[in-house]
Structure formats: C-alpha cells, structure tokens
Amino acid sequence: MNKKLPNSCKVVVIGGGVIGCSVAYHLAKFGWKDTILLERDQLTSGTTWHAAGLVSQLGPSAGITKIRKYTLDLYKELEKKVDHSAGLRLNGALSIAENQGRWEELKRQATTAQLYDVDVKIFDKESVKEKFPIVNVENVIGGIFMPGDGAADPSGVTHMLAKAAKLEGAKIFEKSPVEKILVKNGRIAGVRVNGTDIDCEYVVLASGMWSRQIGEKIGASIPLYPAEHFYIITEPIDNLSKTLPVIRDFDNRTYIKEDAGKILVGIFEGKSIPAFEKTNLVPEDFSFGELPENFEHFEPYLKSAIDRFPVLETAGIRKFFSGPESFTPDTNSLLGEVPGFKNLFACCGLNSIGIGSGGGVGKVTAEWMINGHINEDLFIYDIKRFQNFHSNLDFIKERITETLGDLYGMHWPYKQHKTSRNQKITPYHDELKKAGACFGVAGGYERPMWYALNGDKPEYKYSYKYQNWYPSAEYETKNTRKNVGLFELSPFAKFDLKGDQTFDELQKICTANIKNIPGKSTYTQMLNEDGGIEADLTVVCIANDYFRIISSAATRERDKFHILKHLSKEVKFIDVTDDFCCLGLFGPKSRDLLSKISNENLSNENFKFSTAKQIKIKDMDVWAQRLSYVGELGYELYVEKNSAKELFEAIVLEGKNHNLSLCGAHAMDIMRMESGFLHWGHDISPEENQLEAGLDFAISYKKNIDFIGKDALLKLKEKSVSKKMIMLNLNNSKPGEPLLLHDEPIYLDKEIVGRTTSGNYSFNYGKNLAFGYVKTKFLNGNNSNKDFYIEIEKKLHQAQILDKPLNKSNFKNI
C-alpha cells in the first residue's frame, strides 16, 4: 500500500472495506484517477472481515437486482483480469417456506425474477427433500432455488477490488484514520488525517458502522447504527457436501452455508440488540473486533436450526461469533449525495448484504458522482429518502432492533414498522385516532391509511391476498365519488420560493410553462440533463415572484435537494412543510360543504380548477387550492398549524350534513389510479421520461427559457421511444384475487413484453387495475383485441388494455 499521503486529490474515499474498495476501483476505471482511499487500520478490519459473504442476484426492485447481478459478474471478471481469487462458490441458494404467506412471497419472487433473467426453480416439498436431503422437510411447503447464487470470500473480494483499483490508478493508504471532514461554504474542502489536511473536491463515506458518527461531526445525517450480529461455525462434519447451497429458512430466521467442511449457521432475529450501548459510539480502534458472547440470545434459533438441519444435532461448535453490523431505518442501503453538503456522497448502510452488492453500489456511486445524477430508479437506496431526525440516536437505536429482523421477516404488502413511531403528528391526531384511523408513516408523519368500520380494530392483518382494510377502502372511495371525503395531506412537501429571479429559474427547472400570475397553479415535472424524471410536483403562484412547490411526502428531501441544486442564491428558498397542515376535501358535495363554513364565492366561474386563493373559514386564514389527486371536484386547504385543529373540527361538524367520510391513503391511491394519475417512485422515476409516461402534456417546448432536459427530449422525439405507460384491468377478478402490486410480468400471448408499476382494486368500477410499461413495438394496431396477461405467483391472469381512465368525472369544469 502507498505510504506518503498527498497534499491534495480529487476524491477521498473513507473506508477500506469491500464498499470503499469498489468505489475507488470504479471511480478510477471511469476516469477519475486522482482518487485515494483512506483506511483507519487495515483493509477489511471493520465489518467486512467477518461477513458471511452471501451473494444473491434477485432484489426487491429492478434497480437493486441490476446492482446485485452486476456485482456477481464483476467478481467473475476481475478474478481473471487481476489474477486474484474472490473465493466464489456458486452452489446456488435455496429459500424454503413453511407457511402459506411465505410460500406466496417466494412464488412472487420467482415470478419477478423472470423480468431480469434470473434463473429460479420452484420445488415442492418432495423435490426439496430429494435434492437437498440435509433439510428436514417437516412443515415445509416448498422452496425456490437460484442456481447462480452462492457465497464469496469477503477478504478475497476486497483485496481483489483493491488490486484492481490500484491498477486503474487509485491510491490506497492504510493506518490513515480520517479525524474530520473539512467543509467550506457548504462544500467539501478536504479531510484531516493524523493531524494533516488533504485538500479534495469530493468525499465518499464508505465507512460502514462508523459513518453516522463521522457525519455527525459536521452535522451530516447518516441514519444507521450497529446491532449485535451472530453466527456459529461447527466442527468439521463428515461427508458434508462441498456443493451444499446456501439455505435460508426465513420462517425460523436462520441460514446455513458450507464453510470448508464445516457449517456456518447465522440468524436474523426478530428483535436485535443495539451494539456499544454504553457509549453509543463505535470505538475508533475496533479492528477485527468481536463482541462478548451471548449464547442465551442465540440458543432458541440454534434449536430451530437443529430441527431444520438434523446434521447439526451431533456437530460441535468450533466458533461462536458476535460482532457489530450496521442497519438503516428500512433495511436498505444509503447511497447518493448527502443533503446540505456539496460533493459529500454516502455509500454505506449495506445491512448485511455488502459482499453481494458491493460491486454494484460502487459502480452506481461512481456514476452518480461523475454524471451528477443517475438514470435508474434507485430511490429505495437514495439517502435523501430520510430526514435529519432519522439519524437521532433515540430513533435509530430503537428502529434497528426491528430492521435487522426485517431481512428475514415477512415482506408483506403495505407493512408498517412498529418501532420509533409518532415522530411527527398533526394537531388533530387524537381526533383521527378516535375516528378509527389505522396509521402509517409518510414523510415522518403519522398518516391515516384507512379508518376502521363498525368498531373493528384499526390494525393491519397482513396478507398476499384479500386485505382486511378493503371494506374501509370500499366505503371511503365510494362515498368520496358520491358525496365528499376528507383526506389528511399534511405530510405533503411544501417549499416557498421568493425573489425577482424566481420565475425565470423555475422556468429553467420545470418542463411546463409556469404561470407568474397570483392564484395560478401548474402541474409539472423536473428532469435531469438526460430527460429522466427527477421530480413530479405542482407549482402555485401565491403572489408576484412568490411561489409554492407542493410535492410528495416521501420525496421531500430529494426534491428539495434537486431544486436547490439548480437555484441561484438570488432566490430565497424556505421549507415550510412543517409549518402548515393540509386537508383535502374532495367529492361532488365538497363545494356545498365548504360554502357553509366560508363566505367565499366558490362557484366554478369564480374559483376555477387549477387556481388558488386565500379564503376565510370561521375567521381562519386558509390557502385553498382547487386541485384533486382523486379526480373529483375538491380543494386542498392549507392552514397554519396553530389553527389546524379548529379547521378540522369545523369541516367534520358541517360534514355531518353532507355525508362526509374520513378517508385514508389507500383510498386516495385507488382513486388516483381510477383517474389515470401517476405516482413518482412507482410509475415514474429517473429511469423514465415524459414521452414514455404519457406526460408530454406537461412539456412546453415553446417557452422562452430552455428547461433542463429539453435537448434530450427533442432527441427522443426524433425517434420512437422503446416503451410506453399503459393501464390494464384483469378479467373476472375479485378484490385480492389476485393481489396486484408492482413488478409483475406483463405478457402478450406467451412473451414477456413489460412489467407492472402499480396495482389496486377499484371498488367503484369493480376492476383490478394495473399500470405498467410495455415495449412500444407490441402496442401497434388495435390493442384491445390482443391477449395480454399479468403473471402473479406463477399464474397468468388475462388482462385488457384500457384506452382511457375508468373515472370520467368532469371535475375540472363543474
């Protein structure tokens, strides 16, 4: 390794584990040769050295699957290229199920795998026993086998990547602990190492479980924390097959793999133990470190493993391992530029899948840094999905007791976390609770997902079939279409922009023609330079040169980051999300109701669709916007928090005369699909452009200022796009039979031609709805006569393309 530190460089990568070495390699390979990696001790000395080394190709989304597949291909390629073994043993991986819910989940995974050319075989109970006699199949329903999966040697992979990085020109320094990241005017300026400053333009936090406390020194929020993580290694076992696959017994939270004639047994328990609880800090000198044994904690899982794999019953234990492993609030990685710090990138929080994802996350991070954006749907990994409070110790320590177990827990649709709740609540939260709200979390806020009926308990009963909240969603959606519904919208992100240059700068970052007329609102997208959709939002003009941007709760930090990236200092930007509550009043009776509590003239002539104004409701100042994500006459009502409860109570009281129903997020999602409205993060992302998504109505090519992404769109217009957004409904289906979600293959006859992006059951129209993308070449002619199918749990369901949304309400003109 290099000995003398340079005075300056372009990039400093902090951390010499598998992730840091991957980032350094890819940066150098892609042309940023002036990259150095700083490791506080020795390569792998953090958590990489004790990783189990599992590699798996299939992830929970297309983007993650691409990352994992690339990782495996890279390891195979580099073994030959740099002549260093990664210790790959691709004996496959078997996942088994012993309850119906898990079996349905595994079959859905096997179905999704077909979209990404991942080889998956489905075995019934008898086949599992025949092919893998080590498994006791009592209580087993079946399993899925991925022949291309397996394991790698963590140390071998890391040193292989380090060798490749150096061959590409990167420099690696061990015994070089970073004491502090240096920041000047919000921009990375350098790092301090052993008392010496190194100037640099970029820093990558690839420092594993130390990342949160390194970031904390400069005020950066890196939401992860280590939990105690356990496995044992047995004594050698006679006649143990060297081709034994990795076997995951999810329902008992254990896995095994062959390890040089021995068996490694690992666990992902339902409630984990936060590490370093006395100090809440990972010691700087914790190298190749282990934690005290806790066999009492491990023992119940070992018993389950012995029941599943009887060969363990007579095997001695050679090694009991307990070590720290960091986890994030949602068990997904942290990638991308950290909000508030120009050129500080995160590449950490791998949640025990660092070896299997290391190559891919390093590549994505390098591309993100070099290009300034990525054209893939990776919001599930973007650090900007979190807010600052997510890294607070009280929050993160409690949350990781749950998220470690999420890796092997059931991945139910609509599942909500139980830990670290009630972080943000509205002033009328108790009233919502009394009304029977079942809460979920949106943008950190507790938000009603649905309201229990007839005194039922407002709790999810998770399922891959019929949902226990369907009766509530049916009532809420039908009543909103017939009468009026009240929706809690306070988590919406809300940004105020002011200044003489605001209009021109909005015109540059928005695709639509923004109106600089008080009270006018505009639906628009924001793009990157390649035309990928970075944001989906509404811009409303409150006064001359004073605008408010409204966007999704989940994308608050991401949208804020994108907007600020392209604004000059001439524009004053204020995040007012937490200053205002918002209530959505939607339905044909919404105008009548609102007219009873306000003296404002709310007629269509005086208050047209897509306009806004300040109105008085019971002496309260309310900013009212006539918009509707559910496709009905309605209003978004914004009020300062100190008046929010009074406004809520006034609406509910008068609502008794108009058959008002309180409605949750599930009802809104169903109704937006009935109306043909898209959702960023599901239906659109940087991976899609507006021409593919059918959003070209939100593009103004003629406005005076060339918006970001315009050139890319003009080039795309010259040639036919390769895929198009479509709406489908299943023939003869009932609620939950089947349950449409997303990432289900779309077939034309017997060929996969696309994938779904959203799914819901419409109670108003009795249809099982899906949105998705299909390759354009299959959409020529009369599509209604074609035999389309959607595959769910390995079964094909006939579907029809919808030319128009189901909801044909004339809500814009009434």
Side-chain angles (χ1 to χ4, degrees):
M1 300 294 167
N2 297 86
K3 292 184 178 180
K4 185 178 179 181
L5 291 169
N7 295 321
S8 64
C9 62
K10 188 175 187 68
V11 185
V12 169
V13 179
I14 305 175
V18 63
I19 306 304
C21 290
S22 177
V23 173
Y25 162 70
H26 284 96
L27 283 170
K29 179 186 177 185
F30 295 159
W32 284 15
K33 307 292 184 183
D34 192 14
T35 294
I36 68 170
L37 182 152
L38 302 177
E39 163 54 41
R40 68 192 170 86
D41 194 350
Q42 300 177 46
L43 297 186
T44 79
S45 62
T47 55
T48 296
W49 72 274
H50 63 68
L54 307 186
V55 292
S56 178
Q57 301 167 85
L58 186 61
S61 72
I64 295 176
T65 297
K66 290 175 187 175
I67 281 173
R68 294 183 182 181
K69 287 190 71 177
Y70 172 84
T71 296
L72 188 54
D73 290 342
L74 176 70
Y75 294 169
K76 293 175 183 176
E77 174 192 334
L78 288 183
E79 277 191 321
K80 299 174 183 177
K81 186 176 179 180
V82 305
D83 191 25
H84 192 106
S85 174
L88 289 172
R89 291 183 297 125
L90 303 180
N91 297 331
L94 173 71
S95 298
I96 57 178
E98 68 171 37
N99 64 64
Q100 196 60 40
R102 182 73 69 179
W103 185 226
E104 290 163 357
E105 179 182 301
L106 292 182
K107 285 189 290 184
R108 283 178 180 262
Q109 289 180 8
T111 304
T112 300
Q114 298 168 121
L115 291 168
Y116 313 119
D117 298 320
V118 176
D119 186 14
V120 180
K121 304 183 186 305
I122 298 180
F123 294 147
D124 59 18
K125 178 177 182 175
E126 290 71 26
S127 299
V128 170
K129 185 62 181 175
E130 177 188 348
K131 298 178 183 297
F132 310 104
I134 195 172
V135 181
N136 172 13
V137 296
E138 183 181 358
N139 301 326
V140 169
I141 298 175
I144 63 171
F145 182 65
M146 299 186 185
D149 290 0
D153 169 36
S155 178
V157 167
T158 305
H159 284 92
M160 176 185 73
L161 287 166
K163 186 175 181 181
K166 288 186 288 183
L167 289 172
E168 292 288 350
K171 295 180 176 63
I172 296 176
F173 298 87
E174 296 184 321
K175 303 294 182 181
S176 302
V178 173
E179 298 164 15
K180 188 176 181 180
I181 297 170
L182 306 178
V183 181
K184 186 176 181 180
N185 297 324
R187 177 185 290 268
I188 289 298
V191 295
R192 184 163 296 149
V193 184
N194 291 328
T196 300
D197 291 354
I198 301 173
D199 297 334
C200 66
E201 297 177 43
Y202 293 82
V203 165
V204 182
L205 267 177
S207 38
M209 61 183 174
W210 285 272
S211 300
R212 192 194 69 83
Q213 60 202 58
I214 292 174
E216 190 176 43
K217 291 179 181 178
I218 58 169
S221 175
I222 313 293
L224 55 75
Y225 192 86
E228 297 184 11
H229 195 38
F230 306 90
Y231 60 73
I232 64 164
I233 300 174
T234 70
E235 297 285 355
I237 296 175
D238 293 339
N239 303 316
L240 183 66
S241 172
K242 292 185 178 179
T243 61
L244 182 72
V246 174
I247 303 178
R248 296 179 175 92
D249 183 6
F250 287 114
D251 295 318
N252 290 299
R253 298 185 172 276
T254 61
Y255 68 90
I256 68 166
K257 72 161 192 165
E258 188 270 341
D259 188 274
K262 304 176 284 293
I263 289 180
L264 182 150
V265 182
I267 67 171
F268 287 95
E269 66 273 35
K271 186 174 183 180
S272 69
I273 304 170
F276 310 111
E277 288 226 70
K278 289 184 178 179
T279 63
N280 296 322
L281 291 172
V282 184
E284 298 293 338
D285 60 352
F286 194 82
S287 297
F288 301 105
E290 298 186 35
L291 299 171
E293 290 188 8
N294 189 342
F295 194 76
E296 182 180 352
H297 183 79
F298 187 85
E299 190 173 23
Y301 302 97
L302 178 59
K303 184 179 182 304
S304 296
I306 291 171
D307 290 342
R308 181 65 68 213
F309 309 104
V311 68
L312 295 172
E313 191 166 7
T314 57
I317 297 177
R318 171 169 287 191
K319 172 70 175 176
F320 182 95
F321 176 81
S322 173
E325 180 84 26
S326 65
F327 291 84
T328 64
D330 61 359
T331 330
N332 287 314
S333 303
L334 305 175
L335 305 183
E337 198 166 359
V338 179
F341 298 88
K342 179 68 175 174
N343 294 346
L344 173 63
F345 280 76
C347 190
C348 52
L350 272 291
N351 300 277
S352 276
I353 54 171
I355 305 303
S357 301
V361 297
K363 172 179 179 285
V364 165
T365 299
E367 291 173 335
W368 211 326
M369 294 170 69
I370 293 170
N371 299 326
H373 63 271
I374 51 170
N375 293 322
E376 295 182 62
D377 181 8
L378 280 176
F379 183 60
I380 192 174
Y381 272 5
D382 192 337
I383 192 171
K384 291 178 284 297
R385 69 189 184 274
F386 293 120
Q387 298 174 37
N388 286 345
F389 77 86
H390 285 109
S391 63
N392 292 345
L393 274 172
D394 289 344
F395 177 93
I396 191 64
K397 283 182 65 178
E398 181 184 350
R399 174 55 62 84
I400 61 114
T401 65
E402 181 179 7
T403 54
L404 179 148
D406 283 345
L407 281 172
Y408 275 33
M410 282 295 301
H411 302 100
W412 294 115
Y414 316 109
K415 185 178 179 181
Q416 300 290 329
H417 284 113
K418 295 180 179 179
T419 53
S420 299
R421 293 292 295 269
N422 294 314
Q423 300 295 309
K424 295 185 179 184
I425 60 175
T426 60
Y428 40 84
H429 176 82
D430 289 343
E431 282 68 24
L432 301 178
K433 190 174 181 179
K434 290 173 187 175
C438 178
F439 291 97
V441 178
Y445 280 88
E446 295 292 323
R447 182 183 183 186
M449 303 302 292
W450 50 280
Y451 290 84
L453 299 173
N454 305 318
D456 289 345
K457 204 170 186 179
E459 289 183 0
Y460 281 100
K461 295 178 182 177
Y462 295 119
S463 170
Y464 274 103
K465 288 187 167 50
Y466 185 90
Q467 302 296 301
N468 74 307
W469 46 265
Y470 274 170
S472 295
E474 180 174 9
Y475 168 68
E476 292 167 20
T477 55
K478 285 184 174 180
N479 190 68
T480 300
R481 292 261 183 252
K482 182 180 179 181
N483 297 302
V484 59
L486 184 63
F487 295 77
E488 163 52 24
L489 306 179
S490 298
F492 278 2
K494 303 173 274 289
F495 312 127
D496 281 5
L497 288 74
K498 299 179 182 180
D500 294 344
Q501 301 300 313
T502 306
F503 174 67
D504 288 344
E505 295 194 25
L506 280 173
Q507 288 285 63
K508 182 178 179 181
I509 61 178
C510 296
T511 62
N513 188 22
I514 304 303
K515 301 169 185 67
N516 195 12
I517 303 170
K520 296 288 187 178
S521 65
T522 309
Y523 172 63
T524 185
Q525 284 78 48
M526 294 179 178
L527 312 181
N528 59 42
E529 287 80 357
D530 298 319
I533 301 172
E534 292 286 343
D536 179 67
L537 40 81
T538 298
V539 180
V540 60
C541 181
I542 295 178
N544 288 328
D545 299 319
Y546 175 15
F547 296 84
R548 180 170 294 159
I549 291 175
I550 313 293
S551 70
S552 165
T555 59
R556 175 180 176 180
E557 291 299 326
R558 190 184 189 282
D559 290 348
K560 183 195 305 186
F561 180 89
H562 180 79
I563 295 164
L564 287 172
K565 180 179 178 180
H566 296 287
L567 286 185
S568 72
K569 293 181 180 179
E570 303 301 315
V571 176
K572 184 179 181 182
F573 177 98
I574 309 171
D575 184 342
V576 296
T577 302
D578 297 329
D579 297 336
F580 294 91
C581 287
C582 179
L583 292 166
L585 192 65
F586 305 126
K589 294 184 180 179
S590 58
R591 179 183 287 133
D592 293 340
L593 192 162
L594 201 55
S595 295
K596 294 294 185 181
I597 56 176
S598 174
N599 293 324
E600 191 73 29
N601 180 355
L602 301 175
S603 66
N604 185 55
E605 294 74 22
N606 195 57
F607 199 169
K608 293 185 180 298
F609 178 78
S610 197
T611 65
K613 62 174 65 178
Q614 194 82 20
I615 67 173
K616 285 280 189 180
I617 297 178
K618 300 286 186 182
D619 295 324
M620 289 174 281
D621 290 322
V622 176
W623 179 256
Q625 298 180 175
R626 192 177 156 195
L627 299 170
S628 171
Y629 196 41
V630 304
E632 291 291 339
L633 171 68
Y635 309 85
E636 294 175 0
L637 305 173
Y638 295 84
V639 65
E640 291 186 0
K641 271 195 170 177
N642 58 6
S643 298
K645 186 176 179 181
E646 185 182 354
L647 175 63
F648 173 83
E649 290 173 341
I651 293 172
V652 171
L653 180 63
E654 177 58 34
K656 294 176 181 178
N657 301 318
H658 304 267
N659 294 315
L660 176 77
S661 58
L662 298 183
C663 302
H666 287 313
M668 175 166 277
D669 197 46
I670 291 169
M671 296 177 79
R672 68 96 184 169
M673 288 191 68
E674 292 173 343
S675 304
F677 300 150
L678 304 186
H679 183 277
W680 195 96
H682 279 93
D683 310 309
I684 48 178
S685 74
E687 203 163 306
E688 289 81 35
N689 61 64
Q690 291 163 293
L691 305 180
E692 294 169 334
L695 294 170
D696 41 331
F697 66 87
I699 305 171
S700 174
Y701 295 106
K702 295 181 180 179
K703 61 183 180 177
N704 295 332
I705 298 176
D706 287 343
F707 59 84
I708 296 168
K710 180 179 178 179
D711 289 344
L713 288 184
L714 289 172
K715 290 176 183 177
L716 287 166
K717 281 185 71 177
E718 293 174 2
K719 56 182 181 180
S720 177
V721 294
S722 61
K723 63 181 181 181
K724 291 287 283 185
M725 167 63 70
I726 61 167
M727 298 178 288
L728 298 135
N729 75 274
L730 297 186
N731 295 346
N732 304 317
S733 59
K734 299 177 182 178
E737 299 178 14
L739 181 67
L740 276 168
L741 295 169
H742 51 79
D743 286 320
E744 295 108 352
I746 300 172
Y747 286 77
L748 178 58
D749 297 324
K750 296 182 179 180
E751 182 179 357
I752 294 177
V753 297
R755 67 177 180 92
T756 63
T757 56
S758 290
N760 258 315
Y761 188 84
S762 165
F763 298 96
N764 282 299
Y765 301 95
K767 302 286 188 182
N768 221 337
L769 287 175
F771 290 176
Y773 287 92
V774 166
K775 295 174 185 175
T776 311
K777 64 182 180 181
F778 295 106
L779 295 174
N780 299 323
N782 188 351
N783 297 313
S784 61
N785 293 332
K786 295 179 180 178
D787 291 326
F788 284 95
Y789 297 87
I790 298 176
E791 186 176 11
I792 301 160
E793 292 181 25
K794 299 301 293 179
K795 291 182 180 179
L796 291 176
H797 300 265
Q798 194 167 22
Q800 290 181 329
I801 287 185
L802 295 170
D803 293 328
K804 295 181 180 179
L806 295 175
N807 176 37
K808 300 179 179 64
S809 169
N810 189 29
F811 67 94
K812 295 182 181 180
N813 299 307
I814 57 175

